């Protein structure tokens, strides 16, 4: 018995070691140049077996994964697309892999060398679906909302022709085995048949009904598949049914019913005897099953309970295995004859980061699939379970006082969270009460109640000792340590109202009861201190200078500067063409920077104003940009102002002299940006899937990195040797900066 236990434990440890090694290796496969590691493998969108069954290709948001079908371990990642891959197909002869992407291109790959051999360009929208014709020399493609089908020569990479499908909002595409007919599934519930020889539409199939959830919602065709002999076309619809059509007569043969959700994927086995289908949800129901049908009679053979909504299916060439992608981004391999999950293969998962529900510079909170939460320390990366006792506390409150009980969902929306600046206290509100949660101990500190209306927002003081809650026209001020109310200000909040603490937390600025005024309150006493006068228009936003000496207010078309110590008005600045200012104080509070902003990009302004806060006088107007200003910020040294513009440049200015120091080209106006800890390097990313690094001393471009997808966030490590970026694909990349700094 001891030997047996030893064997079991040893085997389990070996399994963990192998799994750990696999995970580490997987994080290194297909990395961009200069990337150290990848966190997450992207979300899968499509999959296809090679004709010989040796490979499984998975289209994901970072590229195309190739899995060996003996071990089902990844052997390669094909990268090059600058956005997510929506569709992947092997050519019938197995010599090519084609991929269609949201970057509006199609790429052809050699599955043996893993090299990209051609890029097909011409689509004006995301490439939605692709399919090879039987000779492998022609590829059909369709873009999102396209009305034309494009035919490509796979040997030359050139466009052969386009076929007008007269379809509106196509959802799916498939090509008959003989390559003569293309079927397009439309959003209106019809199927358009097109001739590849005649280059025109030949027929339209009607029959799918309205989705049962809504008599106005059409039964959009979400999936199409021709049988291997080409005699049958199967269509899956939003109306929850599958229809089989005779391709010679175009007559409806049989309707397969049983799914309770919209049918998102259909696959024929290679022998043509079996159909597999998967479904997701509808407005009234969800369906987490794979159903297997007799392809000749339409008889339902078996149901595979997957416990997850199904996105894509693919049969292996030997018909013994069925691969699926579900909505939680898991790839599973099933035995088609028994419906059983093949041993261990459920662990082959394209990882995705859990849903983030709150983040700041201190902590991140993730919602897990099972409704639990994980807390991550941003600086150390340490993770731990969080909000463990929230449900039990809720139940106790329910039992104690049913009248005051407020339902707290197990899934807490992001807008219901606020964290103290030091990251020690989390405030969670729902309707008319707030719970204060100790982040370090994961314990409930107290409940703030007494609001007569639903809470619209919350704000912590800079020192974290105070919390202001806003409900209707009332502001409540709370002590976060004792959970006691300090003051209640009624009738002060109006539509678009603001609440702002001073840097030392001793003042609170709110709209005043008197129209167009700003009220300053002492947080020590809870009583009013100053009433800031404004005659021309209501102030809808205020900002304190970092030193707390000044307050800037933004009105409809101008900015106002007040002395925070005396409450006196120092200056007013008129915006151009009735545009509102966006304002920024310098780190030392000595300068106020403003540019005219607008809702519409072409209605802004290309000038930047700098005012002296001590005198209230204008110092400079910076006019070098040729496009509208989109942002301003200060470099870490506080002496350099940085401005971004729709002219695709970023400019660096000397705040003291107004001198233009340098201009960075190739700048995305909405790009995430970051400075190195030593303030010597500037990094920016953007929608073009490129990261640019600049030397702030010389203004010269240092290097570029090329991630898989558009960049959403950028952050330097504390030692400045590593850059971490996250993309629209849901992954993070770590970049090595050591070499470029030599």
């Amino acid at each position: 018995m001891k030997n047996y236990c030893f064997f079991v434990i040893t085997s389990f440890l070996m399994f963990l070691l192998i799994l750990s090694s696999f995970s580490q290796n997987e994080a290194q496969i297909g990395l961009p140049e200069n990337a150290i590691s990848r966190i997450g493998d992207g979300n899968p969108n499509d999959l296809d077996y090679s004709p010989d069954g040796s490979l499984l290709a998975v289209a994901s948001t970072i590229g195309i994964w190739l899995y060996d079908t003996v071990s089902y371990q990844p052997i390669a990642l094909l990268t090059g697309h600058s956005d997510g891959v929506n569709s992947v197909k092997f050519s019938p002869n197995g010599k090519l892999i084609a991929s269609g992407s949201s970057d509006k291109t199609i790429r052809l790959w050699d599955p043996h060398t893993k090299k990209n051999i051609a890029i097909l360009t011409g689509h004006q929208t995301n490439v939605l679906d692709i399919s090879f014709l039987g000779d492998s020399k022609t590829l059909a493609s369709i873009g999102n909302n396209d009305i034309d089908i494009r035919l490509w020569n796979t040997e030359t990479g050139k466009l052969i022709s386009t076929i007008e499908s007269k379809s509106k909002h196509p959802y799916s595409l498939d090509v008959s085995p003989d390559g003569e007919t293309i079927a397009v599934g439309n959003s209106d519930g019809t199927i358009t048949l097109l001739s590849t020889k005649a280059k025109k539409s030949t027929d339209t199939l009607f029959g799918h009904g309205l989705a049962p959830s809504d008599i106005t919602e059409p039964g959009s065709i979400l999936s199409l598949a021709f049988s291997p002999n080409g005699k049958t076309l199967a269509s899956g619809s939003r109306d929850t049914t599958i229809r089989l059509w005779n391709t010679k007569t175009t007559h409806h043969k049989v309707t397969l019913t049983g799914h309770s959700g919209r049918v998102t994927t259909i696959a024929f086995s290679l022998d043509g005897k079996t159909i597999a289908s998967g479904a997701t949800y509808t407005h009234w129901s969800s369906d987490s099953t794979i159903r297997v049908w007799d392809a000749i009679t339409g008889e339902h053979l078996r149901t595979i309970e997957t416990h997850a909504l199904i996105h894509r299916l693919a049969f292996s060439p030997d018909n013994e295995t069925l691969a699926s992608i579900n909505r939680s981004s898991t790839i599973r391999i099933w035995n088609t004859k028994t419906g059983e999950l093949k041993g261990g293969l459920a662990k082959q998962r394209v990882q995705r980061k859990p849903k983030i529900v709150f983040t700041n510079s201190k902590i991140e909170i993730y919602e897990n699939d099972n409704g639990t939460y994980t807390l991550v320390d941003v600086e150390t990366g340490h993770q731990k379970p969080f909000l463990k006792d929230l449900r039990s506390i809720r139940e106790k409150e329910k039992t104690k006082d049913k009248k005051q009980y407020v339902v707290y969902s197990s899934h807490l929306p992001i807008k219901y969270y606020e964290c103290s600046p030091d990251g020690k206290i989390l405030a969670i509100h729902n309707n008319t009460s707030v719970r204060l949660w100790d982040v370090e101990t994961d314990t409930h500190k107290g409940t703030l109640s007494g609001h007569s209306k639903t809470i619209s927002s919350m704000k912590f003081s800079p020192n974290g000792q105070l919390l202001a809650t806003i409900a209707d026209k009332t502001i409540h001020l709370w002590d976060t340590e004792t959970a006691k109310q300090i003051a209640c200000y009624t009738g002060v909040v109006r539509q678009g109202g603001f609440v702002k603490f001073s840097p030392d937390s001793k003042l609170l600025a709110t709209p005043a009861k008197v129209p167009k005024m700003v009220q300053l309150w002492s947080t020590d006493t809870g009583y009013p201190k100053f009433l800031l006068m404004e005659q021309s228009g209501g102030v809808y936003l205020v900002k304190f200078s970092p030193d707390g000496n000044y307050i800037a207010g933004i009105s409809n078309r101008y900015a106002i500067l007040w002395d925070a110590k005396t409450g006196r008005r120092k200056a007013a600045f008129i915006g151009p063409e009735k545009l509102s200012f966006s304002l920024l104080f310098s780190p030392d509070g000595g300068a106020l920077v403003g540019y005219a902003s607008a809702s519409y990009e072409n209605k802004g302004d290309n000038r930047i104003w700098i005012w002296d806060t001590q005198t209230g006088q204008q110092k400079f107007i910076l006019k070098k940009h040729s496009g509208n200003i989109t942002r301003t910020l200060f470099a870490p040294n506080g002496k350099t102002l940085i401005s971004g513009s729709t002219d695709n440049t970023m400019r660096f200015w000397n705040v003291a002299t107004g001198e233009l120091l340098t201009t960075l080209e190739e700048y995305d106006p909405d790009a995430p940006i970051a400075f190195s800890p030593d303030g010597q390097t500037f990094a920016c990313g953007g929608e073009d899937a490129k990261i640019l690094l600049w030397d702030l001393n010389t203004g010269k471009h240092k290097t570029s990195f090329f991630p898989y997808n558009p960049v959403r966030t950028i952050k330097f490590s504390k030692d400045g040797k590593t850059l971490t970026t996250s993309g629209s694909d849901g992954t993070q990349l770590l970049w090595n900066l050591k070499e470029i700094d030599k």
Side-chain angles (χ1 to χ4, degrees):
M1 184 66 180
K2 290 182 179 179
N3 290 337
Y4 175 75
C5 291
F6 175 78
F7 171 76
V8 171
I9 294 171
T10 304
S11 300
F12 179 69
L13 292 175
M14 287 296 294
F15 169 74
L16 291 179
L17 182 63
I18 293 171
L19 185 61
S20 173
S21 173
F22 163 72
S23 299
Q24 292 172 3
N25 293 336
E26 189 173 14
Q28 304 298 318
I29 294 176
L31 284 175
E33 185 179 359
N34 290 312
I36 304 169
S37 183
R38 177 184 57 249
I39 302 172
D41 297 330
N43 298 329
N45 296 317
D46 194 16
L47 72 175
D48 193 31
Y49 279 97
S50 60
D52 64 4
S54 64
L55 294 174
L56 176 66
V58 178
S60 80
T61 49
I62 65 173
I64 303 98
W65 285 97
L66 295 183
Y67 289 83
D68 168 68
T69 56
V70 175
S71 63
Y72 278 95
Q73 290 190 5
I75 58 175
L77 175 63
L78 311 182
T79 62
H81 283 294
S82 60
D83 213 329
V85 183
N86 302 318
S87 182
V88 64
K89 294 291 187 297
F90 278 94
S91 61
N93 61 16
K95 295 181 179 180
L96 291 174
I97 298 174
S99 57
S101 168
S102 292
D103 67 6
K104 305 176 185 178
T105 71
I106 299 165
R107 288 183 177 243
L108 301 179
W109 313 81
D110 186 319
H112 302 290
T113 65
K114 317 297 187 294
K115 300 295 184 182
N116 178 222
I117 56 178
I119 303 175
L120 316 183
T121 60
H123 277 287
Q124 301 302 308
T125 59
N126 302 344
V127 180
L128 185 67
D129 207 351
I130 56 176
S131 188
F132 278 97
L133 275 65
D135 60 4
S136 298
K137 296 179 180 179
T138 307
L139 181 74
S141 67
I142 192 165
N144 188 31
N145 293 333
D146 276 357
I147 61 171
D148 295 330
I149 306 296
R150 293 173 183 259
L151 298 180
W152 308 85
N153 185 313
T154 59
E155 295 179 339
T156 65
K158 302 297 183 182
L159 181 67
I160 300 172
S161 61
T162 59
I163 305 175
E164 185 178 353
S165 69
K166 298 180 181 179
S167 304
K168 292 183 178 180
H169 304 295
Y171 279 179
S172 50
L173 168 78
D174 200 25
V175 179
S176 62
D178 60 12
E180 294 185 359
T181 304
I182 298 174
V184 179
N186 304 313
S187 61
D188 62 1
T190 64
I191 302 165
T192 304
L193 301 181
L194 306 119
S195 169
T196 57
K197 291 183 177 179
K199 305 292 190 298
K200 65 178 183 180
S201 173
T202 59
D203 214 334
T204 301
L205 308 183
F206 299 89
H208 280 287
L210 298 174
S213 62
D214 187 344
I215 60 172
T216 64
E217 183 181 344
S220 307
I221 309 302
L222 306 179
S223 50
L224 288 169
F226 279 98
S227 62
N229 62 14
K231 295 181 179 180
T232 301
L233 173 67
S235 58
S237 169
R238 192 189 297 266
D239 69 5
T240 74
T241 70
I242 301 163
R243 285 182 171 246
L244 303 185
W245 310 82
N246 184 312
T247 56
K248 186 175 182 180
T249 63
T250 68
H251 290 163
H252 168 240
K253 295 167 63 175
V254 65
T255 299
L256 314 183
T257 60
H259 279 297
S260 60
R262 57 188 70 178
V263 182
T264 53
T265 179
I266 301 173
F268 274 93
S269 60
L270 196 62
D271 59 12
K273 296 180 180 179
T274 309
I275 296 172
S277 61
T280 58
Y281 59 88
T282 61
H283 290 313
W284 75 97
S285 178
S286 63
D287 187 339
S288 58
T289 65
I290 298 172
R291 291 180 177 261
V292 183
W293 318 80
D294 186 298
I296 307 301
T297 65
E299 178 188 357
H300 176 242
L301 301 177
R302 71 185 61 88
T303 297
I304 301 174
E305 294 289 347
T306 68
H307 307 292
L309 307 176
I310 301 300
H311 180 57
R312 286 289 184 271
L313 293 171
F315 273 100
S316 61
D318 61 8
N319 305 319
E320 295 183 358
T321 299
L322 184 67
S324 69
I325 298 175
N326 63 31
R327 287 291 182 179
S328 62
S329 299
T330 302
I331 301 172
R332 288 195 168 102
I333 311 299
W334 309 88
N335 184 310
T336 55
K337 290 184 172 58
T338 65
E340 294 179 352
L341 187 65
K342 288 200 169 184
L345 298 183
K347 296 184 181 297
Q348 302 303 328
R349 177 184 175 90
V350 178
Q351 299 289 343
R352 71 174 183 178
K353 211 172 183 180
K355 178 184 176 183
I356 187 167
V357 295
F358 181 82
T359 182
N360 63 11
S361 61
K362 301 289 184 181
I363 64 171
E364 292 178 341
I365 301 173
Y366 295 97
E367 178 187 348
N368 305 310
D369 290 340
N370 61 2
T372 63
Y373 294 85
T374 299
L375 180 76
V376 180
D377 185 297
V378 172
E379 293 185 356
T380 65
H382 177 70
Q383 300 183 19
K384 65 178 182 180
F386 192 54
L387 299 175
K388 301 188 297 294
D389 298 327
L390 180 60
R391 187 180 298 276
S392 61
I393 291 173
R394 183 185 69 180
E395 291 302 321
K396 289 179 182 178
E397 290 185 3
K398 180 180 179 180
T399 303
K400 183 178 179 181
D401 189 349
K402 293 185 178 181
K403 292 183 179 179
Q404 296 297 321
Y405 171 59
V406 179
V407 176
Y408 279 73
S409 167
S410 60
H411 301 279
L412 302 173
I414 186 171
K415 67 180 181 180
Y416 288 0
Y417 291 86
E418 189 66 41
C419 190
S420 60
D422 59 9
K424 293 182 178 180
I425 302 174
L426 182 71
I428 310 169
H429 90 71
N430 197 333
N431 292 334
T432 60
S433 62
V434 178
R435 285 190 174 89
L436 297 181
W437 212 267
D438 189 298
V439 173
E440 293 180 347
T441 62
D442 192 19
T443 56
H444 180 227
K445 289 175 64 70
T447 299
L448 315 181
S449 57
H451 304 87
S452 59
K453 299 287 185 179
T454 299
I455 300 167
S456 58
S457 62
M458 304 179 291
K459 185 173 289 294
F460 275 97
S461 62
N463 62 13
Q465 296 174 9
L466 303 170
L467 178 70
T469 58
I470 300 94
D472 194 30
K473 296 182 179 181
T474 302
I475 298 173
H476 296 259
L477 189 62
W478 308 85
D479 185 310
T480 57
E481 184 61 34
T482 64
K484 301 295 184 181
Q485 181 171 284
I486 298 173
C488 180
Y489 314 126
T490 60
V492 297
V493 178
R494 57 178 179 269
Q495 185 68 25
F498 54 85
V499 172
K500 198 77 172 181
F501 283 97
S502 61
D504 61 5
S505 303
K506 292 185 177 299
L507 292 176
L508 181 66
T510 72
K513 291 183 179 180
V514 181
K516 303 179 182 179
M517 305 297 182
V518 177
Q519 181 70 65
L520 287 187
W521 307 83
S522 169
T523 58
D524 289 334
T525 65
Y527 293 114
K529 189 167 186 180
F530 297 122
L531 189 64
L532 306 182
M533 308 296 289
E534 180 47 49
Q535 295 86 16
S536 300
V539 176
Y540 60 83
L541 183 66
V542 296
K543 289 187 176 183
F544 281 89
S545 61
D547 56 12
N549 291 330
Y550 305 102
I551 301 174
I554 300 176
S555 187
N556 291 329
R557 54 180 296 243
Y558 60 96
I560 311 100
L561 183 66
W562 292 283
D563 187 311
K565 304 300 182 184
T566 64
R568 292 180 179 177
R569 185 183 192 192
K570 294 181 66 69
F573 319 112
I574 307 298
E577 301 177 6
K578 299 182 180 180
L579 297 176
S580 298
F581 276 112
S582 178
L583 298 177
L584 175 71
F585 279 103
S586 61
D588 63 3
L592 179 64
V593 176
Y595 67 88
S597 59
S599 308
Y600 302 97
E601 189 175 280
N602 61 350
K603 295 288 187 181
D605 192 84
N606 64 347
R607 290 170 288 179
I608 302 169
W609 284 261
I610 300 180
W611 299 282
D612 186 295
T613 54
Q614 187 173 2
T615 64
Q617 298 299 310
Q618 176 181 293
K619 293 178 63 177
F620 310 107
I621 300 180
L622 312 179
K623 302 180 181 179
K624 295 293 185 180
H625 280 294
S626 60
N628 302 328
I629 309 299
T630 58
R631 72 166 77 175
T632 56
L633 69 156
F634 282 90
N637 62 16
K639 299 177 181 179
T640 304
L641 176 70
I642 302 169
S643 59
S645 167
T646 56
D647 63 11
N648 295 321
T649 67
M650 180 165 273
R651 297 179 187 267
F652 290 68
W653 314 83
N654 185 311
V655 179
T657 65
E659 176 190 1
L660 177 63
L661 301 176
T662 189
T663 300
L664 310 186
E665 307 288 345
E666 298 184 71
Y667 164 71
D668 182 340
D670 300 316
I673 57 178
F675 292 96
S676 61
D678 60 9
Q680 303 300 307
T681 304
F682 173 76
C684 63
E687 291 299 312
D688 58 356
K690 184 188 296 184
I691 302 164
L692 302 176
L693 276 77
W694 306 83
D695 188 310
L696 288 180
N697 292 323
T698 64
K700 292 183 179 179
H701 175 234
K702 297 176 72 171
T703 191
S704 296
F705 297 149
F706 299 93
Y708 310 112
N709 271 226
V711 180
R712 293 290 179 262
T713 64
I714 291 183
K715 185 179 181 180
F716 283 90
S717 61
K718 282 188 174 181
D719 59 9
K721 296 179 180 179
T722 305
L723 187 71
T724 301
T725 63
S726 65
S728 60
D729 51 34
T731 66
Q732 287 185 322
L733 287 169
L734 277 65
W735 306 88
N736 185 1
L737 302 180
K738 296 178 183 178
E739 295 299 320
I740 67 168
D741 288 331
K742 287 183 178 179

